[in-house]
Amino acid sequence: MKTLAKTFLPDTQVDRLRDARLLLRESKAARIVTSAQTGALRFASLTKSFASVYYSLLSGQFRREERAVLAGLAKYHAELQDDDANVFLMRRNVHRLEKGLLMRPRRPVFAKDYILETVNVYRKIVSEPARSQESSAESLRWGYDVLSEYFAVTAADPVIDHARDVFEKCPPAPGAGSNVKRIPYQRALEEQPVTYEQLEQLSLKRRSVRWFEQKPVPRDLLDKAFHIANLSPSACNRQPFRFLVFDDPEMVQEVASLPGGTIGWKHNIPAMVVVLGSLDAFYSEKDRHVIYIDGSLASMSFSYALETLGLSSCICNWPDIEAHEARAQKVLGLQPYERPIFFMAVGYPDPDAMVAYSQKRPLDVMRQYNTEIASSERASA
């Protein structure tokens, strides 16, 4: 409706319609409608069944997410069924082995239920690197070193012994045999490379910047920041996200028009980054939120790294609006299992521009210690 009004009506009429709509919100009729909507929401939220009926019949808000999750599951399991090299499975299982290796006390036999699966997917990737984007020497060496350490420390067992035989017949990973092993290790804790005060100052300096100098953003600096982002925590080290970077001026404007929060300042954005989640990284619906968790962790590291390089950013919210999602899928050429997490404007900050103060919530409100909890028995009752 907004688009139609702007297309066929003069600006003055559009402004009057908007003002009338805003005033209507304060009317008695509007309050009655709002009260009825609130009552319906309260009723639907009483049970899981009511909520399911509400979102099945009265709201299609989650339909795109539901389809994306199913498309991701279908791709994940199809790769296993077709005997393909599933990258995310290898990353997850190798990391699970790492956690078993660092346990105290370490069990003499562990990972029996997935070690053969891990060796087989590693074998497929190292034997035919072209089948997988995960054929980098670093990742394959990590897999090789962790598997080698696992077989070196586990006790004799029929399942493990069979998996060991399969592993020993695999082609060597690039760089295998190096003196530097990519396995669990003890960190050096004597000195901290960054003080608390330095981190606090960086956090205070980082603001959402919407006005930039009109000059290109060097790709080597962006890649330095992405390197830091790549070191961020990730659930089972799957890293189910990627960054799409646009620095061509025409493409920047096209991409910058996707999130609604760039109206009024998108014309001065030098580069846009799309943080994209990939739901084909998971074997179950239970992990569907990991793309948002891991993608956000990496993006925060990216944002801080930009500040150390003289660059700034603004994270643009990406609310789940179907029309916007459909347009983003078309413009960005996304697969059904891929979802934008949010967008980021990046550039050299304009020294004469202002930034929002953005007062944060009080610490005592944001943080609570030892809130009342229920025992396991009470919680399951």
Side-chain angles (χ1 to χ4, degrees), residues 75-209:
K75 182 173 182 293
Y76 182 98
H77 290 286
E79 287 183 351
L80 297 184
Q81 184 176 355
D82 296 340
D83 201 36
D84 283 342
N86 189 296
V87 173
F88 295 112
L89 175 62
M90 187 198 81
R91 296 189 64 83
R92 175 175 182 259
N93 282 2
V94 170
H95 185 63
R96 293 167 76 189
L97 292 176
E98 286 192 298
K99 290 187 286 187
L101 289 170
L102 58 82
M103 286 298 292
R104 296 192 300 181
R106 180 196 293 158
R107 290 181 293 171
V109 172
F110 65 94
K112 283 182 60 173
D113 56 337
Y114 62 89
I115 184 57
L116 188 57
E117 175 186 67
T118 307
V119 170
N120 280 331
V121 72
Y122 168 81
R123 173 180 56 81
K124 295 168 190 172
I125 294 175
V126 76
S127 300
E128 301 180 61
R131 296 174 66 182
S132 169
Q133 62 180 355
E134 197 65 25
S135 57
S136 68
E138 292 82 3
S139 293
L140 291 174
R141 268 193 56 197
W142 169 57
Y144 174 85
D145 287 347
V146 171
L147 283 165
S148 297
E149 181 70 8
Y150 169 82
F151 288 123
V153 302
T154 47
D157 176 271
V159 173
I160 295 176
D161 291 344
H162 175 60
R164 181 185 290 107
D165 290 340
V166 176
F167 176 66
E168 290 176 349
K169 295 175 183 176
C170 291
S178 169
N179 292 330
V180 179
K181 301 297 183 183
R182 304 186 180 202
I183 58 177
Y185 64 97
Q186 290 182 320
R187 293 188 302 156
L189 301 178
E190 292 77 16
E191 295 184 6
Q192 296 296 338
V194 178
T195 67
Y196 170 82
E197 289 74 20
Q198 290 171 328
L199 180 58
E200 181 185 34
Q201 287 304 309
L202 177 62
S203 300
L204 290 170
K205 180 189 176 189
R206 190 220 62 81
R207 299 288 93 182
S208 293
V209 172

Side-chain angles (χ1 to χ4, degrees), residues 335-354:
Q335 297 295 326
Y337 52 81
E338 294 180 313
R339 300 213 72 193
I341 298 173
F342 47 71
F343 294 66
M344 298 179 71
V346 177
Y348 287 101
D350 183 340
D352 297 324
M354 293 189 293

